[in-house]
Amino acid sequence: MNNFTTIDIIFVLMLILSLYLLVQVLKQEKSLIEEPITHNKKRYLIYPDKLIRQCGISPSHYWLWYWSVKLVSVALVAFLLIEFFDSILLIVCGSILAFFLIDVSLLFKRSARRNQINQSLVFFTNLLIVFLKSGLSLSNAFRKAGQFGLHKNNPLAAELELIAYELDAGRDRAEAFDQLSSRTGVESLNKLAVIIKAGINVGSPVSDGLQSLADFLRLQQELQLTSRINRKALESTFPMAMVCFPMFFVLVFFPAGQQISDIMSLLGEIL
């Protein structure tokens, strides 16, 4: 009984520690302004710094949390499987899946973050054009568009604040906008960076290219919305068919089958 109580206490402590570490790792937009230029300080570790940065997390600050969650997850799953199962293969497979659990959660988080940025990009681009035409500098236009056009919890707002901070600090504009698209992994931001870099190098107005980009992004969003509606309509067709088929069978096939049966019985009596 004492041994079972000790096991329960260890299990609860490991579970609490694992949940705490997971929350810390997945905390959004943490310390991005503290390190405007991201360097890979842990090159000797197998560490997905690019994936973590695209999730809105500073890689240099979270490598310890990342590996702690991995090790705690493996220990927790292995402990549970050992307690309830005797299969070594099951224990090994469960431990391997637990080892990559944090990576899968980061992939989902990156996908959700990219979708949120894409949804906010059209309005931000239009607002950026307005501020640029009003005479603001590029860094101030980015900062104002992020402050007044986006919610403070929006991941795009954090990235805009960061790039404005970099431009004010004197970083090369072409390099800063290249890093913007690399930090997020959003293809539309890459197009935005290309347009701004081309305008800076050639000396042409950036607002004209941004207006074309805004129109393209708006059309792309409309096509995605139409495709999503069509997919939902197609997905709803199958359950509707499953629900309507019994009624269709009762109203159409059953009376017809009954009439055919009566006719065959009548023919049998005549013959």
Side-chain angles (χ1 to χ4, degrees):
M1 182 68 181
N2 292 333
N3 188 27
F4 182 74
T5 304
T6 303
I7 292 175
D8 286 343
I9 294 174
I10 294 174
F11 170 74
V12 171
L13 291 177
M14 291 180 66
L15 182 60
I16 293 174
L17 179 61
S18 178
L19 292 176
Y20 173 75
L21 293 176
L22 184 62
V23 169
Q24 290 296 321
V25 169
L26 297 180
K27 195 172 183 180
Q28 294 185 356
E29 317 306 331
K30 173 77 174 176
S31 302
L32 295 182
I33 302 301
E34 296 177 3
E35 189 181 6
I37 302 176
T38 302
H39 298 287
N40 188 1
K41 299 180 180 179
K42 304 297 175 184
R43 293 186 181 275
Y44 52 86
L45 293 177
I46 302 175
Y47 184 57
D49 53 349
K50 186 175 181 180
L51 171 62
I52 292 176
R53 181 57 187 84
Q54 290 179 356
C55 292
I57 302 171
S58 178
S60 62
H61 296 162
Y62 276 83
W63 68 272
L64 181 60
W65 296 109
Y66 174 81
W67 285 106
S68 299
V69 169
K70 275 184 172 290
L71 296 177
V72 170
S73 299
V74 171
L76 182 62
V77 171
F79 175 79
L80 291 175
L81 293 177
I82 290 172
E83 285 295 317
F84 296 102
F85 302 97
D86 296 330
S87 175
I88 298 178
L89 180 62
L90 181 61
I91 295 172
V92 172
C93 293
S95 301
I96 293 175
L97 291 177
F99 184 79
F100 292 104
L101 181 62
I102 181 63
D103 299 285
V104 174
S105 62
L106 287 173
L107 288 173
F108 280 108
K109 179 178 174 60
R110 182 180 67 176
S111 178
R113 191 171 188 265
R114 286 178 176 178
N115 291 333
Q116 193 173 1
I117 290 176
N118 282 321
Q119 291 174 2
S120 307
L121 200 54
V122 175
F123 180 72
F124 158 73
T125 305
N126 290 324
L127 197 60
L128 180 62
I129 294 170
V130 172
F131 283 121
L132 287 174
K133 288 184 177 180
S134 67
L136 291 178
S137 64
L138 191 60
S139 60
N140 287 332
F142 267 86
R143 181 178 286 109
K144 294 295 184 182
Q147 288 178 352
F148 297 104
L150 301 173
H151 193 269
K152 62 179 181 178
N153 294 328
N154 192 304
L156 183 58
E159 298 295 344
L160 295 177
E161 184 180 0
L162 177 56
I163 194 171
Y165 177 81
E166 291 179 343
L167 294 175
D168 290 339
R171 190 176 186 184
D172 182 68
R173 293 184 175 184
E175 185 181 356
F177 285 109
D178 284 337
Q179 289 296 322
L180 173 64
S181 59
S182 176
R183 284 194 301 260
T184 57
V186 178
E187 182 64 26
S188 300
L189 283 179
N190 186 31
K191 293 183 176 67
L192 175 67
V194 170
I195 290 174
I196 293 178
K197 286 190 300 180
I200 292 173
N201 294 330
V202 178
S204 62
V206 179
S207 57
D208 296 338
L210 292 178
Q211 186 62 55
S212 300
L213 178 63
D215 295 337
F216 170 75
L217 293 176
R218 188 180 300 108
L219 178 61
Q220 191 177 36
Q221 277 192 353
E222 292 176 357
L223 292 176
Q224 290 177 353
L225 181 60
T226 303
S227 176
R228 193 177 305 165
I229 293 174
N230 293 335
R231 186 172 63 251
K232 292 296 182 182
L234 184 62
E235 291 175 354
S236 62
T237 302
F238 180 73
M240 290 178 62
M242 294 296 294
V243 171
C244 296
F245 181 76
M247 184 182 300
F248 182 78
F249 179 80
V250 171
L251 295 177
V252 177
F253 289 101
F254 181 74
Q258 189 174 12
Q259 290 180 2
I260 292 173
S261 177
D262 295 339
I263 293 173
M264 295 300 293
S265 299
L266 183 61
L267 290 176
E269 292 177 359
I270 294 174
L271 296 176

